[in-house]
Amino acid sequence: MTTGRRAVLAALALVCLTAFWTGSGTARAAAPATFWGVNPVTVPTDAQIQQISAGGIGSIRVPLNWSTVQPLAGTPDWAPFDALIEAPARHHLQVLPVIWGSPSWVAPRPLELPVANLSAWSLFLRQAVMRYGPDGSFWAEHSAVSSKPLPYDPITVWQIWNEPNFFYFARPVSAGAYAKLIVSSHAAIAGVDPGAKLILGGMFANPKNAPPRAYSAVSFLDSFYGRKGIKNSFDGVALHPYARDASTLGPDIEAVRATMKENGDAGAGLWITEIGWGSAATGPFQKGANGQARELGRAFSLFLANRRRWHLEGVDWWSLTDDPSPTACNFCDHTGLFTAAFQPKPAWARFAALAGR
């Protein structure tokens, strides 16, 4: 990082910290309902979606796992994803799908980027847009005259892959390979819905692992921008700024915005598609029940105060409920706004108060 950039980021960090303590009610009121998002770890029930919608959540980020929907070459089975989005659609939540997961007939592991079979990937994306985008078959099946009507709210924003700068979710960890995936994805999605938006997979801000297993979001994004013709293939950047506490979030976000500006993309939107702390007493990102609520409040106050300056489109808390499953991440068993039994925590009360519902 150059000396000039350090000076700029230091000054901007001071602005962020000032906004952190002075976030206004006006900023809160101005945020659209879709600004307030969440990541479920299981399929939410209709009653659960109704409750969180009443509490202010207007967006839900859900996995569209290719390997689940199309485990074998042939016609995709959309039933698992249909079940995931029916309740959100019924209660007018915006659905943001994150598409990832190579099936075994494409790659040996789900986290392998399907760059060796981009034709199959592109076909799957086109089929997804034809299913859930404008004029999609899902909406025709749930029209007003059907037996299970739903409000017409087609998916128009699509997120491609998850944490492409981190080996835990992407192999290879390569800006070049990911750029190929994005170019192919844009062509496929825009070919069906020219008005759709494509956003990058949420980058882990500062993974502990060193290259080539992982790169910082700033380093990966800067390299990604260097790929020929890439800027016309996506509409927004996404970040996962997991941090020790909310007071350290500003500099990481400022660094990403500075990288976007340096690459001529200052006007592009930024999504924070994962952020969270746990309610356990000890462990990574754990703050205790009241500490979790405190950090949530401080983080969202920071986001709201800087929303327009950062072109921040939305924030998705990780996660809706605790995830006690053995495959969960090392802090996900306590990151929920609700327990696994859907009992609200202090963090949920803080979220609903901020959302102003």
Side-chain angles (χ1 to χ4, degrees):
M1 183 181 290
T2 65
T3 301
R5 183 190 277 188
R6 287 195 190 98
V8 170
L9 291 179
L12 290 174
L14 180 61
V15 172
C16 288
L17 288 173
T18 302
F20 177 86
W21 296 112
T22 61
S24 67
T26 301
R28 274 201 300 274
T34 53
F35 180 84
W36 307 92
V38 70
N39 290 272
V41 293
T42 59
V43 179
T45 67
D46 190 88
Q48 290 168 354
I49 292 295
Q50 184 175 21
Q51 181 174 345
I52 65 173
S53 175
I57 288 177
S59 177
I60 187 165
R61 176 177 177 257
V62 292
L64 175 47
N65 192 319
W66 185 17
S67 63
T68 299
V69 172
Q70 197 177 22
L72 303 173
T75 303
D77 176 8
W78 299 109
F81 194 70
D82 287 356
L84 189 54
I85 69 170
E86 284 179 4
R90 184 173 297 110
H91 295 283
H92 303 281
L93 269 65
Q94 174 184 272
V95 173
L96 172 62
V98 51
I99 311 175
W100 83 290
S102 295
S104 59
W105 54 275
V106 169
R109 294 172 294 183
L111 53 81
E112 299 280 347
L113 298 179
V115 289
N117 198 342
L118 287 174
S119 60
W121 168 258
S122 296
L123 176 59
F124 178 72
L125 292 185
R126 289 195 297 272
Q127 291 171 322
V129 180
M130 288 188 288
R131 175 73 179 163
Y132 302 107
D135 301 321
S137 58
F138 176 82
W139 308 108
E141 292 170 11
H142 293 278
S143 70
V145 297
S146 71
S147 60
K148 296 176 65 177
L150 290 174
Y152 174 71
D153 193 8
I155 294 173
T156 56
V157 182
W158 306 82
Q159 186 172 37
I160 304 301
W161 220 259
N162 187 58
E163 298 188 358
N165 64 320
F166 185 41
F167 77 100
Y168 195 78
F169 284 103
R171 302 282 180 89
V173 182
S174 163
Y178 186 60
K180 290 180 181 178
L181 189 70
I182 290 298
V183 170
S184 174
S185 300
H186 174 264
I189 291 172
V192 180
D193 178 14
K197 288 185 177 181
L198 183 155
I199 65 173
L200 303 184
M203 293 171 288
F204 193 176
N206 290 299
K208 293 182 179 179
N209 302 87
R213 287 164 65 84
Y215 296 83
S216 71
V218 166
S219 175
F220 189 86
L221 184 61
D222 195 46
S223 179
F224 176 82
Y225 270 118
R227 308 297 157 167
K228 185 177 180 181
I230 194 62
K231 274 182 58 178
N232 294 326
S233 294
F234 67 99
D235 301 283
V237 173
L239 183 65
H240 295 171
Y242 289 108
R244 182 185 70 254
D245 55 57
S247 66
T248 64
L249 292 174
D252 285 339
I253 298 173
E254 291 288 356
V256 168
R257 289 297 328 179
T259 301
M260 295 168 69
K261 184 176 181 180
E262 289 175 0
N263 286 279
D265 216 10
L270 176 65
W271 279 257
I272 294 178
T273 49
E274 289 183 25
I275 182 70
W277 290 271
S279 59
T282 60
F285 303 112
Q286 304 290 354
K287 298 294 181 180
N290 291 327
Q292 180 192 38
R294 180 193 66 238
E295 296 305 322
L296 181 152
R298 291 178 174 178
F300 271 97
S301 293
L302 176 69
F303 298 147
L304 288 165
N306 293 280
R307 183 174 66 89
R308 289 190 173 89
R309 192 169 61 83
W310 285 339
H311 298 272
L312 194 55
E313 300 287 345
V315 181
D316 299 299
W317 180 265
W318 186 276
S319 51
L320 176 58
T321 59
D322 292 342
D323 185 0
S325 66
T327 57
C329 75
N330 64 350
F331 65 98
C332 295
D333 53 344
H334 289 91
T335 55
L337 298 172
F338 295 80
T339 67
F342 215 74
Q343 294 302 309
K345 301 183 188 180
W348 169 242
R350 185 63 178 139
F351 189 108
L354 279 166
R357 298 297 181 90

